[in-house]
């Protein structure tokens, strides 16, 4: 996929990468340099993915209550087909006190906690985008974050997003994870860890040669399985973080 970039390219803003472990190189913090700046951070996907198959979107954010930012998605038909039009779908990121009002007004909206600290969110994207002018078999072509009202943008009112991941949800608190690695010096083993932290580093004092694991009881609705490989020269590679998600049962 393309690296994150701002559009329009000449938007007056200060942009800095966000160095969060596990952000897969996709994290950015921005401060608009002028009032009323219409800008957005966009990631266009070289390989659009099926919303019917991967119905949830995970990302991390750092916002405060004075920064009304929306999730903006470019949605189209399956690649190589003309089954529907390409549309832009906007999902408002609202604090709890504003969520019911936004939904009652007919807006697509999900709840966030805009308190100026890093938080994580899983958006039930397939459910939120259902209906309207969506293609029958929708594919996500681009993910963006943008001000809800550019006229309300104030210079220096920064915000940040990182680590978006499309997630395919499970139906029971069990999982099977399979992985592999190759290296010209060979692969001597793997370090692994299961927890609920998206950025954990598996300890390297316990190495396994297994390339598959079955988990009979996930520790929570959103869990992470972390894997890194060791090559034949003893070097440890980067960590791959596998999200394992079972949506909470409403009212449960």
């Amino acid at each position: 996929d393309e690296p994150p970039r701002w559009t329009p390219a000449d938007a007056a803003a200060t942009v800095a990468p966000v160095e969060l472990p596990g952000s897969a190189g996709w994290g950015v913090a921005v401060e608009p340099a002028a009032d009323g700046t219409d800008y957005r951070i966009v990631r266009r996907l070289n390989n659009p993915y099926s919303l019917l198959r991967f119905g949830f979107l995970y990302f991390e954010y750092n916002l405060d209550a004075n920064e009304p930012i929306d999730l903006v998605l470019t949605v189209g038909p399956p690649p190589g087909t003309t089954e529907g039009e390409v549309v832009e779908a906007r999902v408002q990121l609202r604090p709890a006190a504003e969520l019911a009002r936004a939904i009652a007004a007919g807006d697509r909206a999900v709840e966030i906690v805009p308190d100026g600290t890093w938080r994580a969110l899983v958006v039930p994207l397939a459910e939120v985008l259902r209906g309207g002018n969506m293609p029958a078999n929708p594919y996500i072509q681009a993910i963006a974050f943008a001000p809800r009202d550019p006229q309300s943008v104030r210079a220096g009112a920064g915000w940040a997003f990182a680590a978006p991941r499309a997630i395919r949800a499970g139906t029971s608190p069990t999982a099977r994870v399979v992985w592999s690695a190759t290296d010209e010096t060979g692969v001597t083993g793997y370090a692994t860890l299961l927890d609920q932290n998206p950025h954990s580093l598996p300890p390297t004092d316990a190495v396994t040669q297994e390339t598959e694991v079955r988990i009979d009881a996930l520790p929570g609705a959103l869990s992470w399985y972390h894997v890194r490989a060791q090559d034949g020269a003893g070097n440890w590679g980067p960590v791959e973080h596998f999200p394992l998600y079972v949506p909470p049962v409403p009212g449960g």
Side-chain angles (χ1 to χ4, degrees):
D1 296 330
E2 296 181 10
R5 64 184 186 185
W6 285 95
T7 56
D10 59 352
T14 300
V15 182
V18 171
E19 298 296 338
L20 285 181
S23 63
W26 200 94
V28 68
V30 59
E31 290 187 1
D35 293 352
T37 303
D38 188 4
Y39 58 89
R40 62 178 62 188
I41 180 68
V42 180
R43 187 176 192 179
R44 305 189 186 281
L45 306 180
N46 291 334
N47 298 301
Y49 70 86
S50 169
L51 185 59
L52 299 182
R53 186 178 182 191
F54 296 92
F56 294 80
L57 178 67
Y58 170 92
F59 60 84
E60 297 173 36
Y61 64 91
N62 189 334
L63 300 169
D64 68 36
N66 298 317
E67 301 165 10
I69 303 296
D70 292 343
L71 168 65
V72 184
L73 302 129
T74 303
V75 188
T81 71
T82 57
E83 296 178 4
E85 297 182 354
V86 175
V87 299
E88 183 176 276
R90 183 176 287 260
V91 180
Q92 296 182 5
L93 306 179
R94 293 276 193 172
E98 301 176 2
L99 184 63
R101 184 171 69 251
I103 293 175
D107 296 320
R108 297 183 175 106
V110 294
E111 182 180 338
I112 60 167
V113 181
D115 61 359
T117 64
W118 278 102
R119 291 183 174 271
L121 181 67
V122 177
V123 180
L125 208 53
E127 176 184 340
V128 172
L129 297 184
R130 183 179 295 125
N133 58 347
M134 288 293 110
N137 186 6
Y139 273 65
I140 301 298
Q141 298 181 354
I143 300 169
F145 296 95
R148 185 168 308 134
D149 177 13
Q151 297 303 314
S152 69
V153 171
R154 295 295 175 261
W159 46 273
F161 290 91
R165 296 283 298 265
I167 294 179
R168 184 178 184 179
T171 57
S172 67
T174 63
R176 176 173 171 262
V177 184
V178 180
W179 62 90
S180 65
T182 59
D183 188 86
E184 61 183 12
T185 65
V187 175
T188 60
Y190 303 90
T192 64
L193 176 67
L194 172 68
D195 64 12
Q196 293 183 271
N197 182 346
H199 308 307
S200 290
L201 299 177
T204 57
D205 55 353
V207 179
T208 179
Q209 278 71 49
E210 299 295 330
T211 57
E212 177 180 336
V213 65
R214 177 176 175 81
I215 303 165
D216 294 324
L218 294 171
L222 178 60
S223 305
W224 296 83
Y225 197 79
H226 316 274
V227 180
R228 66 189 310 192
Q230 185 180 44
D231 66 19
N235 302 307
W236 286 99
V239 181
E240 181 66 26
H241 308 273
F242 296 95
L244 306 171
Y245 184 60
V246 180
V249 177

